[in-house]
Amino acid sequence: MARFISTFHPGSDQKILDVGGYVAFWKGSGLTSEMTLLNIHPIPRDEIEPNMRATLGDGTKLHYKNHSFDVIFSNSVIEHLSTLENQERFAKECMRVGKGIWIQTPAKSFFIEPHLLTPFIHFLPKDWQRRLIRNFTLWGWLTRPTREQVDAILLEVRLLTFAEMKLLFPACEIWKEKFLGFTKSYIAVRKLN
C-alpha cells in the first residue's frame, strides 16, 4: 500500500477503480479518493466507507468509457481468470479504462504457491497436483477440499511469468516485489502523466 501511495499520491480529486477488490483491503489506508470496488461477488452495504461505492462486474468486460478512472488497481486477481485469453481481456480492459495502472499478481517463479500455501507444488504437472493438494498442502489440510474443489482451483488459478506480464501490459513498467531475494510478485505500473 505504501508503494502504491508513494507512486500515485492519490487524493480526494482522484477516482480509483479496484477490480476485484474488497473494503477490508482499503480500511486504514487513509485514502480519501473516490473509490469504486468492482467485484463478481456483492459487497455488503454496511461495510462500505463514505468514499466508496461497490458494483458488480467482470474485469474482462468493464462497462466504463476509455480513461474514465485515474487509476485502475487490482491486487492478486488476474491469476484467477483460468486462461491466458481471459487474462489478455482483463489487461486490455484495465489499460483502456484507466489513465494509471497498478495490477499486482504472484510470480509463477516464486517457490511458494500462494493459494495452496505450499512450496514447489505448482511446478508439477496438473495430474500430480490434483493427487497431492488435499493431503500435502497447507490449504488442503486447513480446508479439506472435495475433489470438485481441488479441480476448481486447478482450473481457476493460472500464475503468470515475467514475460507474460510484459506481453499483457506492454505500455507498463513491470516491477518485481522481492522476498528473501526471490521475486514473489509482479506489478504492472503505468504512472499518471
Side-chain angles (χ1 to χ4, degrees):
M1 183 60 74
R3 196 169 184 194
F4 169 74
I5 290 171
S6 69
T7 301
F8 288 101
H9 308 287
S12 58
D13 60 330
Q14 287 184 319
K15 292 173 26 178
I16 298 172
L17 174 65
D18 183 349
V19 182
Y22 290 98
V23 174
F25 182 83
W26 297 99
K27 279 201 182 212
S29 69
L31 294 181
T32 57
S33 305
E34 181 183 319
M35 189 85 58
T36 300
L37 306 177
L38 181 133
N39 210 299
I40 59 172
H41 306 290
I43 296 172
R45 291 186 188 273
D46 61 338
E47 292 181 11
I48 298 172
E49 302 283 313
N51 64 320
M52 296 179 180
R53 64 185 222 93
T55 185
L56 289 175
D58 178 347
T60 64
K61 294 178 260 183
L62 297 174
H63 299 289
Y64 298 104
K65 294 179 182 175
N66 293 354
H67 303 293
S68 54
F69 286 88
D70 295 297
V71 180
I72 301 295
F73 181 97
S74 186
N75 186 52
S76 295
V77 173
I78 193 169
E79 76 274 10
H80 290 275
L81 301 178
S82 301
T83 66
L84 181 59
E85 293 76 22
N86 287 341
Q87 291 169 329
E88 288 171 340
R89 284 194 286 275
F90 181 93
K92 284 179 184 171
E93 283 294 276
C94 289
M95 289 189 298
R96 179 185 67 77
V97 171
K99 298 171 192 167
I101 297 289
W102 182 278
I103 309 289
Q104 185 272 0
T105 189
K108 183 175 184 177
S109 61
F110 191 57
F111 60 92
I112 294 177
E113 202 294 333
H115 306 90
L116 302 174
L117 306 170
T118 303
F120 308 113
I121 194 162
H122 56 299
F123 299 130
L124 299 173
K126 293 281 186 187
D127 286 345
W128 289 26
Q129 291 181 50
R130 185 172 287 108
R131 288 190 288 250
L132 296 173
I133 284 175
R134 192 165 198 281
N135 296 308
F136 296 97
T137 68
L138 186 55
W139 178 76
W141 295 333
L142 293 173
T143 63
R144 303 312 299 156
T146 64
R147 179 178 297 276
E148 292 77 20
Q149 289 170 315
V150 168
D151 287 342
I153 199 161
L154 287 173
L155 283 173
E156 175 185 320
V157 175
R158 183 183 181 283
L159 297 173
L160 292 160
T161 66
F162 182 75
E164 288 171 330
M165 282 295 283
K166 287 175 63 174
L167 180 71
L168 292 172
F169 298 97
C172 297
E173 296 176 54
I174 308 299
W175 294 355
K176 296 177 179 181
E177 287 186 295
K178 300 280 187 174
F179 179 76
L180 300 176
F182 296 94
T183 300
K184 76 167 193 70
S185 58
Y186 305 117
I187 307 169
V189 179
R190 182 170 68 195
K191 297 177 185 175
L192 296 170
N193 295 332

